[in-house]
């Protein structure tokens, strides 16, 4: 998920007060049958379930990696390296990448969520969910929901996915939109991220940013 730049200009959007449900976890999507079939057709590429469970257990309860000590981050990196050996060929072309994903870990806390995940940002904004939705053929939506002073809020980005090669993608995001209560603010400019898909299956997706940040995504639904 892209880090958001500090607001350079703010535009208030007129909108009706959103319901509280709209600012909480998005509707869960069922895994498309094409996703399930793609793995059924290539069972030899499936990683051992205990290896997938291992990396998830290492990041559970760590506030997406924030609370992990240095050796904990190394253990996650080692598990990700092992999972990468089972990555399917040309993962960017696989229907497995589509769906709704929760960000459960990042080796650099500010990479997903930007200023809202800095030490000061985490004191002010209580993060509820960090979700990325990848829609066919080329749309990416990132959303962080939080609470601040008793109000529900969210910051959202919509981007266009471009395939760079067999494993690397580029996403160009529109300016982010911040909502707090019934008010909406759009600020800043476009942003860009590049991500290498190092592993993907029916349950998890691993990615590495152009600056080396490691991401672990857990499929929802």
């Amino acid at each position: 998920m892209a880090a958001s730049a500090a607001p350079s200009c703010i535009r208030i959007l007129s909108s009706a007060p959103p319901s509280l449900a709209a600012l909480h976890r998005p509707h869960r999507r069922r895994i498309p049958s094409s996703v399930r079939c793609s793995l059924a057709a290539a069972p030899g590429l499936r990683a051992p379930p205990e290896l997938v469970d291992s990396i998830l257990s290492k990041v559970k309860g760590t506030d997406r990696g924030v609370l992990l000590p240095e050796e904990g981050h190394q253990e996650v990196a080692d598990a990700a390296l092992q999972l990468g050996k089972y990555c399917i060929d040309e993962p960017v072309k696989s229907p497995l990448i589509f769906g709704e994903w929760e960000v459960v870990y990042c080796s650099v806390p500010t990479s997903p969520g930007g200023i809202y995940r800095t030490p000061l940002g985490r004191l002010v904004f209580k993060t509820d969910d960090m979700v990325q939705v990848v829609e066919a053929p080329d749309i990416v939506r990132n959303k962080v929901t939080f609470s601040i002073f008793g109000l529900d809020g969210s910051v959202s980005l919509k981007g266009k996915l471009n395939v760079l090669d067999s494993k690397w993608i580029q996403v160009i995001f529109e300016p982010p939109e911040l909502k707090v209560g019934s008010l909406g603010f759009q600020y800043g400019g476009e942003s860009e991220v590049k991500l290498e898909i190092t592993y993907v299956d029916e349950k998890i997706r691993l990615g590495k940013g152009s600056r080396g940040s490691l991401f672990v995504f857990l499929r929802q639904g």
Side-chain angles (χ1 to χ4, degrees):
M1 300 179 72
S4 303
S8 57
C9 62
I10 295 178
R11 181 166 71 254
I12 300 180
L13 305 178
S14 59
S15 61
S19 66
L20 294 180
L23 297 177
H24 285 82
R25 186 183 297 274
H27 177 69
R28 301 301 185 204
R29 293 171 174 79
R30 298 185 63 184
I31 300 175
S33 59
S34 60
V35 170
R36 295 192 294 269
C37 291
S38 65
L39 270 188
L45 296 175
R46 188 190 297 269
E50 59 269 21
L51 189 54
V52 174
D53 293 340
S54 173
I55 196 169
L56 291 176
S57 68
K58 294 179 189 302
V59 303
K60 184 177 181 180
T62 67
D63 191 13
R64 300 170 180 85
V66 172
L67 304 179
L68 272 180
E70 184 176 348
E71 58 269 24
H73 285 289
Q74 186 58 54
E75 290 179 3
V76 176
D78 291 343
L81 188 63
Q82 292 300 312
L83 278 166
K85 297 177 181 179
Y86 297 91
C87 187
I88 59 176
D89 293 334
E90 299 186 304
V92 297
K93 296 182 179 180
S94 171
L96 286 166
I97 69 172
F98 300 119
E100 182 180 312
W101 302 89
E102 180 185 359
V103 182
V104 294
Y105 172 82
C106 182
S107 58
V108 179
T110 56
S111 287
I115 60 174
Y116 306 97
R117 295 289 290 168
T118 62
L120 178 59
R122 293 196 302 272
L123 287 175
V124 178
F125 301 92
K126 182 183 179 299
T127 304
D128 295 322
D129 290 307
M130 300 181 69
V131 174
Q132 180 178 86
V133 178
V134 184
E135 301 174 351
D138 59 3
I139 299 298
V140 178
R141 302 177 190 274
N142 291 348
K143 186 173 185 178
V144 179
T145 58
F146 57 81
S147 58
I148 177 173
F149 306 129
L151 296 174
D152 292 314
S154 66
V155 58
S156 305
L157 297 100
K158 178 183 177 182
K160 185 179 187 304
L161 185 153
N162 300 308
V163 173
L164 301 180
D165 63 21
S166 62
K167 287 191 173 184
W168 281 88
I169 61 172
Q170 173 197 53
V171 183
I172 299 176
F173 288 101
E174 299 172 0
E177 182 178 350
L178 171 66
K179 290 184 177 181
V180 178
S182 60
L183 296 178
F185 307 87
Q186 195 167 24
Y187 61 89
E190 291 186 342
S191 58
E192 173 190 326
V193 297
K194 293 179 180 179
L195 189 74
E196 178 188 11
I197 300 174
T198 59
Y199 179 79
V200 62
D201 65 16
E202 292 177 300
K203 190 172 184 178
I204 68 171
R205 173 164 58 93
L206 306 181
K208 181 171 287 189
S210 57
R211 297 183 180 180
S213 301
L214 172 63
F215 294 83
V216 179
F217 300 87
L218 177 64
R219 191 185 298 278
Q220 302 298 290

